[in-house]
Amino acid sequence: MTIKDLSAQTGYSVGTVSRVLNDQPNVSEKAKKTILEAAAACGFQLNTNAQQLKQQRSNNILVLVKGSSNQLFSSLVEAIQSRVALTTYHLVVDYMDEDNDEVLRAVQLVREKKPLGILFPGGNRENFLAHFGRIDAPCVLVTSSGADLPFENLSSVCCDEDQAVMHTIERLIDLGHRKIAIIGGYRDRSDTARRRFQGCMAAFEAHGIPFAPEQDYANARFSYEAGYEAAEKLIARSDQYTAIFCMADVMAMGAIRALTDHGLRVPQDVSVVGFDGLSIGEYIVPRLTTVSQSVEQLAQRSVDLLRERIEGSHEAIHEVIPAELQWRESTRSIEK
Amino acid sequence: MTIKDLSAQTGYSVGTVSRVLNDQPNVSEKAKKTILEAAAACGFQLNTNAQQLKQQRSNNILVLVKGSSNQLFSSLVEAIQSRVALTTYHLVVDYMDEDNDEVLRAVQLVREKKPLGILFPGGNRENFLAHFGRIDAPCVLVTSSGADLPFENLSSVCCDEDQAVMHTIERLIDLGHRKIAIIGGYRDRSDTARRRFQGCMAAFEAHGIPFAPEQDYANARFSYEAGYEAAEKLIARSDQYTAIFCMADVMAMGAIRALTDHGLRVPQDVSVVGFDGLSIGEYIVPRLTTVSQSVEQLAQRSVDLLRERIEGSHEAIHEVIPAELQWRESTRSIEK
DNA sequence: TTGTACGCGTTATCAT
DNA sequence: ATGATAACGCGTACAA
């Protein structure tokens, strides 16, 4: 079933049929009615391939998801999907391996699929610096800042991570914690890890708290398991820690498990803080104290920013959404 | 950059270029080499739209995800993605609202996108009965059985839910539990809920344990929050329950939270069992006892089944993968 | 307001 | 082994 068939059926030419189906002006009410009815009757759908081939563009927004164990991104993709569903665009999700280059992949997909724009949850600074110049479609970096990247087609939306982390650590310090450990991402590979680490250091320095990275910092991927292992490493190194700040909720939950397995109670013996505000955090025992970034807002703003760029001719915008410290049950004061 | 440009560049005709790019016979080594090099040099990609328009088919496998709060499906989609990435096919994920008709949506997408096949995580029996006849592409129902559905283009892969649930309840009974409550899905809408419910009832009946659904069964959607609320309802109805079986891990984790908030300890006061085997279950305190279905196997078998149908001419296959009862810390014996 | 005809980039058929 | 050319289904400039 093509517009040709529809044309034959209704007696109108393919031109008129096409105009009606695309809701264009210069068609009589009568033609519109006749054709729309005939189309509805046989459940007609325009052929997307022909359409896009002709128009030299797709109607798709692409989201490039890197690594899958990070629960935050799953939620984010779903929220993005909901938001895109409200528009006339279609969301295409492309998953890729954690340790491949997302920008290189994007370069390929741009040529292959011609998306109107791309959303990058996460995203690595070096990769962008190296190859992003080859992409001319508007893009948005989500959960990571692109403010200091020199690309006018790259917007970003993220929360003020380093500030939020700094305040969180300060809160811990206020509550009497002095021996604080960090479980975080590999700083040589992850911007997120790097920025959150800066927040930690700022707090430690401002308050004169000693912190030796090689001792008090444990590397981990963004998964329960990695959090577990990192916490075990920390426990083996010292039994003095009264608090552990984790750069992701999944790490924090793994860490809590490890602490528990080693006979340490949370928060009585060790306070644990996460980052992300995953909904599971409100249900575990104890409820997880965390820096929450609103997945809804992240999704909403990033989609909106991208749409503006696609539809208008704005320049790159770097938006910061608030991060909210959710003080719950996995942390306590240790003032005497 | 099109094959025409490539043709001009290399001096060969578009026909030869196309043959080389599609790895077809009847091309000289020399032509192959020249053209491949030129293509690589400018990062050439065939235009998918033109290709598919010409070939009258896509290269896509579609997965239709319904409802998003169900963590299991997120993991499943990712596992499916990994599996499909190993093939020459491309995975297209389409998310849809929990309470829309997935089959109607599929009918539309088949016309619009012409996928080679469709994967349905979950899926509702009534919807299939009503409209699946209009779909002729091969499909696979994942986590839900299609064995009793009369469609020769519908395969399925799931675990033996009712058996697994029955054994789980029997185990609870063996351990001395007599007052057992169930938190599960709405049986009038969900096949999964219906089948798991049957497993429960079979166990209760076989052992002469009284069970009154209107009293001892609490409805819930597949989310933490719903599990929490359902558990509260149960607690309000009776304080006699020594065990709660939940039809999903997310419900179980919500339930554990509710019990804890009401001063009940898990498993000392109440044992809690989940279903799915989500990885978070191994990290919460207490570790969650659960009926685990392997997401890996589910993904692998469903993709393989679909491929067989796409590539060969097999008939529908209904495969059952093992479910494994993971007895962990959220349950205990109450023998005196 | 409507119709005609060309071209988007590719594959495939048929000559050569 | 290679080249010319006709589709695939659609949008659109141009003519009527």
Side-chain angles (χ1 to χ4, degrees), chain B residues 79-305:
Chain B
I80 287 173
Q81 161 64 32
S82 308
R83 189 75 186 169
V84 171
L86 264 34
T87 72
T88 59
Y89 303 107
H90 198 83
L91 188 72
V92 173
V93 187
D94 193 274
Y95 292 93
M96 56 175 295
D97 211 47
E98 174 118 39
D99 35 46
N100 279 338
D101 187 321
E102 71 275 20
V103 180
L104 246 28
R105 171 84 185 175
V107 169
Q108 189 202 337
L109 285 172
V110 164
R111 268 202 282 257
E112 201 175 318
K113 302 281 184 69
K114 313 227 184 305
L116 293 172
I118 309 177
L119 257 19
F120 291 93
N124 180 291
R125 189 187 165 73
E126 270 107 58
N127 295 342
F128 277 78
L129 248 14
H131 299 293
F132 190 79
R134 293 160 61 187
I135 296 177
D136 50 359
C139 298
V140 180
L141 215 39
V142 194
T143 71
S144 186
S145 174
D148 52 352
L149 257 16
F151 303 111
E152 54 187 1
N153 57 330
L154 181 63
S155 296
S156 67
V157 28
C158 61
C159 64
D160 197 344
E161 304 179 284
D162 41 7
Q163 282 294 310
V165 169
M166 191 182 81
H167 291 141
T168 305
I169 301 285
E170 285 184 328
R171 178 76 177 270
L172 248 17
I173 295 172
D174 280 354
L175 294 176
H177 294 278
R178 292 295 175 269
K179 258 313 241 180
I180 302 173
I182 312 287
I183 294 178
Y186 294 84
R187 280 165 288 149
D188 52 346
R189 291 181 240 156
S190 157
D191 297 331
T192 300
R194 212 145 36 210
R195 279 195 63 190
R196 295 182 189 175
F197 181 73
Q198 282 167 13
C200 294
M201 291 310 285
F204 290 138
E205 280 161 21
H207 296 262
I209 306 288
F211 183 86
E214 59 287 357
Q215 182 71 19
D216 305 323
Y217 188 95
N219 283 321
R221 286 176 304 105
F222 288 76
S223 71
Y224 302 116
E225 192 186 5
Y228 187 97
E229 288 165 3
E232 281 198 312
K233 239 176 260 163
L234 251 16
I235 294 167
R237 288 189 203 155
S238 161
D239 58 358
Q240 301 295 304
Y241 298 116
T242 62
I244 301 181
F245 172 78
C246 304
M247 290 192 185
D249 286 351
V250 288
M251 295 177 185
M253 292 189 277
I256 290 175
R257 215 332 136 191
L259 292 165
T260 308
D261 286 349
H262 286 262
L264 268 9
R265 294 161 305 164
V266 177
Q268 293 85 342
D269 299 317
V270 181
S271 289
V272 175
V273 184
F275 196 115
D276 283 342
L278 258 34
S279 58
I280 174 69
E282 297 182 65
Y283 292 92
I284 64 168
V285 183
R287 289 185 175 85
L288 186 64
T289 291
T290 187
V291 180
S292 104
Q293 45 184 340
S294 161
V295 166
E296 289 310 322
Q297 270 187 53
L298 246 16
Q300 185 170 326
R301 294 309 302 149
S302 57
V303 171
D304 290 356
L305 247 36

Side-chain angles (χ1 to χ4, degrees), chain A residues 80-101:
Chain A
I80 287 173
Q81 160 63 33
S82 307
R83 189 76 186 167
V84 172
L86 265 33
T87 72
T88 59
Y89 303 108
H90 199 84
L91 187 73
V92 174
V93 186
D94 194 274
Y95 292 93
M96 56 174 296
D97 212 47
E98 176 117 37
D99 35 46
N100 280 337
D101 187 321

Side-chain angles (χ1 to χ4, degrees), chain A residues 18-329:
Chain A
S18 174
R19 277 184 289 263
V20 167
L21 261 20
N22 288 292
D23 215 21
Q24 285 184 10
N26 297 328
V27 259
S28 66
E29 277 308 316
K30 180 156 160 273
K32 199 164 179 175
K33 186 161 168 291
T34 317
I35 294 170
L36 247 25
E37 269 171 10
C42 57
F44 178 79
Q45 286 281 358
L46 285 168
N47 181 312
T48 315
N49 284 318
Q51 224 175 1
Q52 294 181 6
L53 172 59
K54 175 64 191 173
Q55 300 182 158
Q56 299 284 65
R57 62 186 183 82
S58 76
N59 191 39
N60 299 332
I61 288 178
L62 177 66
V63 48
L64 213 49
V65 188
K66 200 176 159 178
S68 52
S69 49
N70 192 348
Q71 176 70 53
L72 176 72
F73 291 157
S74 309
S75 316
L76 192 55
V77 170
E78 279 160 9
I80 287 173
Q81 160 63 33
S82 307
R83 189 76 186 167
V84 172
L86 265 33
T87 72
T88 59
Y89 303 108
H90 199 84
L91 187 73
V92 174
V93 186
D94 194 274
Y95 292 93
M96 56 174 296
D97 212 47
E98 176 117 37
D99 35 46
N100 280 337
D101 187 321
E102 71 276 18
V103 181
L104 247 28
R105 171 82 185 175
V107 169
Q108 189 201 336
L109 285 173
V110 163
R111 268 202 281 256
E112 200 175 316
K113 302 280 184 70
K114 313 227 183 306
L116 294 172
I118 309 179
L119 258 19
F120 291 92
N124 181 291
R125 190 187 164 76
E126 269 109 59
N127 294 342
F128 277 79
L129 247 16
H131 299 294
F132 189 79
R134 293 161 61 187
I135 296 178
D136 51 0
C139 297
V140 180
L141 215 40
V142 194
T143 70
S144 187
S145 175
D148 52 351
L149 257 16
F151 303 112
E152 54 187 0
N153 57 332
L154 182 64
S155 296
S156 67
V157 26
C158 60
C159 64
D160 196 344
E161 305 179 285
D162 42 5
Q163 282 295 309
V165 169
M166 191 183 81
H167 290 141
T168 305
I169 301 284
E170 285 186 328
R171 177 76 178 270
L172 248 17
I173 295 171
D174 281 353
L175 294 176
H177 294 277
R178 291 295 173 270
K179 256 316 240 179
I180 301 173
I182 312 286
I183 294 179
Y186 294 85
R187 279 164 290 151
D188 52 345
R189 291 180 238 156
S190 158
D191 297 331
T192 299
R194 213 146 35 213
R195 280 196 62 190
R196 295 182 189 176
F197 180 73
Q198 283 167 11
C200 294
M201 293 311 285
F204 290 137
E205 279 160 23
H207 295 261
I209 305 288
F211 182 88
E214 60 287 358
Q215 182 72 18
D216 305 324
Y217 188 96
N219 283 322
R221 287 176 303 105
F222 288 75
S223 71
Y224 302 116
E225 192 185 5
Y228 187 98
E229 288 164 4
E232 281 198 313
K233 240 177 259 162
L234 252 16
I235 294 168
R237 288 187 204 156
S238 161
D239 57 359
Q240 300 296 305
Y241 298 117
T242 63
I244 302 180
F245 171 77
C246 304
M247 289 193 186
D249 285 351
V250 289
M251 295 175 184
M253 293 190 276
I256 289 176
R257 214 337 137 189
L259 291 166
T260 307
D261 286 349
H262 287 261
L264 266 10
R265 294 161 305 163
V266 177
Q268 292 86 343
D269 299 318
V270 182
S271 289
V272 175
V273 184
F275 196 115
D276 283 342
L278 258 33
S279 58
I280 175 70
E282 296 182 65
Y283 291 93
I284 63 168
V285 183
R287 288 185 175 84
L288 185 64
T289 291
T290 187
V291 180
S292 104
Q293 45 184 340
S294 160
V295 166
E296 289 309 320
Q297 270 187 54
L298 245 19
Q300 184 170 326
R301 292 310 303 150
S302 57
V303 171
D304 290 355
L305 246 39
L306 191 58
R307 287 187 58 192
E308 284 170 22
R309 285 284 310 208
I310 291 172
E311 290 160 18
S313 55
H314 303 266
E315 41 189 15
I317 293 176
H318 300 281
E319 207 161 288
V320 176
I321 65 162
E324 196 180 339
L325 178 52
Q326 305 272 4
W327 205 262
R328 297 201 281 234
E329 306 166 353

